[in-house]
Amino acid sequence: MNGFAPMVELEGRCIGPGRPVFVIAEIGINHNGDLDLARRSVDAAAEAGADCVKFQTFRAEEFMADRELEYEYLSAGTPVREKMYEMFKRLELPFAWHRTLFEHARSRGLVPLTSVADPLCVEAALEAGAGAFKLASEDLINLPLLDSVAARGLPLILSTGMADEEEIADALDVLRRRGADRTIFLHCVSLYPTRDEETNLRRMTALARVTGAVTGYSDHTLGSEACLAAVALGACVLEKHFTLDRSLPGPDHSLSADPRELADLVRSVRRVEAMLGGESLEIAAREREFRHAFRRSVVAARPLRRGTVLTADDLTLKRPGSGLRAREIPRLLGRVLDRDLPGDAQIAWGMLQTERNS
């Protein structure tokens, strides 16, 4: 037993193999400290067809020890370099906004979610009505936080960017000890943006094998191709950074999907789901209808006279497929025709004498 549920439910949405892919619009820090922008982003995500909107709940002073550490990113097409502490402080999601945004998301038919970075953030999310938790890749190795979240008994989505197999094993030990069986693991590459050759989507299938849990993909590439490929490989969850406008100032807007791109992605995901079908070897019902027209039947290779003892040279295969199949040819060889046949006439059992010619 791997200890993890084969299906995870988030506010009435069942997530797992054979279920619709759960699409998370990662608003994250793209609210830019503006509650109205955050609300409008929720609206746009709903209109694009997402299932969930996700924010980030953190306190810069809690996780930034070196307040002089700098970070460089592309903002509105311009390279920006600034102190990480100042950037994150500016982009904190105030605790007072959480309930407003969660309730607004639910009013639009979306599951609200936020990644929590410390125990106080956990409590703020719970007080706002969080029905599940997300932990960012950087906190997979934050075992005290992981233990605290796992102990709450709520579903958990855990990103695995930067984590090696030993670190994933440590996280698994914590989750199993706490009985946190409703955990979803996301393959993630913590590079912004991620290059094609760095994406390594097959790592997601390895993650599914190692964890035995529901798995998905958190995307930092540009475009939709990686997400669609992940769905084809079995992703049950997709997380995509989302912005109202990629030209807005801030570290994540330029690598995020805008409303049109997210809507296109959701439509494409639903098409891929329809294309994947099931693992049965059964053919499609509509395809079955075309077998008559597209397949070949056994026919006379040339005009044949009554009394002909059939040989391979007397038979060929031509459309339509309404007669005997090629698999019947060995049983036809050596049989005797009881009538004359024109070329291309289908061979039927009733055209043959009862006894095989010896």
Side-chain angles (χ1 to χ4, degrees):
M1 294 291 291
N2 62 58
F4 292 101
M7 197 82 65
V8 177
E9 183 176 319
L10 292 187
E11 300 194 13
R13 314 286 183 100
C14 288
I15 305 170
R19 306 292 299 188
V21 173
F22 188 73
V23 179
I24 301 172
E26 160 75 279
I27 296 171
I29 56 177
N30 284 341
H31 54 78
N32 282 14
D34 182 338
L35 179 57
D36 181 62
L37 177 60
R39 287 174 58 91
R40 288 188 289 117
S41 298
V42 170
D43 291 335
E47 290 162 8
D51 299 294
C52 172
V53 285
K54 190 186 84 67
F55 296 95
Q56 296 176 14
T57 305
F58 57 81
R59 296 175 298 140
E61 64 271 15
E62 185 275 333
F63 71 90
M64 288 296 307
D66 182 354
R67 298 192 179 184
E68 299 304 311
L69 188 65
E70 293 188 334
Y71 181 59
E72 186 170 336
Y73 58 89
L74 197 65
S75 174
T78 302
V80 173
R81 188 172 185 87
E82 67 173 318
K83 293 178 181 178
M84 291 182 73
Y85 174 79
E86 294 176 359
M87 179 188 76
F88 283 119
K89 191 65 182 175
R90 184 177 71 251
L91 297 173
E92 287 179 351
L93 186 74
F95 288 172
W97 292 6
H98 282 57
R99 184 174 294 278
T100 297
L101 291 172
F102 283 14
E103 290 178 353
H104 184 59
R106 289 188 176 109
S107 76
R108 297 304 309 266
L110 298 168
V111 175
L113 195 64
T114 191
S115 55
V116 290
D118 65 68
L120 194 60
C121 293
V122 172
E123 294 303 326
L126 286 172
E127 289 176 10
F133 289 112
K134 170 79 193 295
L135 284 189
S137 292
E138 65 192 77
D139 285 320
L140 179 139
I141 63 168
N142 187 345
L143 300 184
L145 177 63
L146 180 60
D147 183 75
S148 174
V149 170
R152 303 296 178 142
L154 292 177
L156 170 64
I157 300 177
L158 181 60
S159 285
T160 60
M162 304 178 287
D164 60 29
E165 192 164 349
E166 182 180 28
E167 291 165 339
I168 291 171
D170 289 342
L172 287 171
D173 287 343
V174 171
L175 295 167
R176 286 170 174 148
R177 186 170 65 249
R178 283 295 188 180
D181 62 331
R182 294 183 295 166
T183 298
I184 297 169
F185 290 82
L186 301 186
H187 166 49
C188 179
V189 180
S190 297
L191 295 170
Y192 307 87
T194 305
R195 299 171 183 165
D196 291 356
E197 64 272 17
E198 297 166 332
T199 306
N200 194 17
L201 289 174
R202 289 195 178 96
R203 186 176 183 271
M204 183 185 68
T205 60
L207 189 62
R209 183 179 66 252
V210 168
T211 65
V214 175
T215 51
Y217 173 56
S218 179
D219 184 46
H220 296 140
T221 67
L222 301 178
S224 62
E225 292 85 353
C227 288
L228 299 180
V231 173
L233 286 172
C236 299
V237 175
L238 285 180
E239 183 178 69
K240 184 74 172 174
H241 279 262
F242 178 64
T243 179
L244 277 185
D245 185 345
R246 293 178 66 189
S247 68
L248 287 170
D252 284 354
H253 292 285
S254 64
L255 60 86
S256 300
D258 64 22
R260 180 189 59 79
E261 291 166 334
L262 183 63
D264 288 345
L265 172 62
V266 172
R267 280 192 294 270
S268 295
V269 166
R270 301 311 173 208
R271 283 195 68 196
V272 171
E273 287 175 334
M275 292 172 184
L276 286 173
E279 295 184 7
S280 169
L281 291 178
E282 289 294 318
I283 62 173
R286 201 162 67 89
E287 184 185 21
R288 187 181 299 274
E289 297 174 8
F290 285 92
R291 293 201 297 186
H292 171 87
F294 289 173
R295 284 185 164 179
R296 302 183 186 211
S297 301
V298 181
V299 301
R302 55 183 172 275
L304 299 175
R305 302 296 299 271
R306 182 177 183 276
T308 297
V309 178
L310 294 177
T311 67
D313 291 338
D314 298 321
L315 307 174
T316 191
L317 295 160
K318 292 186 178 182
R319 293 185 182 186
S322 53
L324 298 179
R325 300 181 186 179
R327 64 186 299 182
E328 304 294 350
I329 289 177
R331 296 176 57 199
L332 290 169
L333 300 180
R335 296 295 294 271
V336 180
L337 283 176
D338 70 357
R339 68 194 71 183
D340 294 338
L341 286 180
D344 291 341
Q346 286 188 358
I347 307 293
W349 295 116
M351 300 174 178
L352 308 173
Q353 293 180 11
T354 304
E355 298 297 325
R356 179 187 290 269
N357 184 66
S358 59

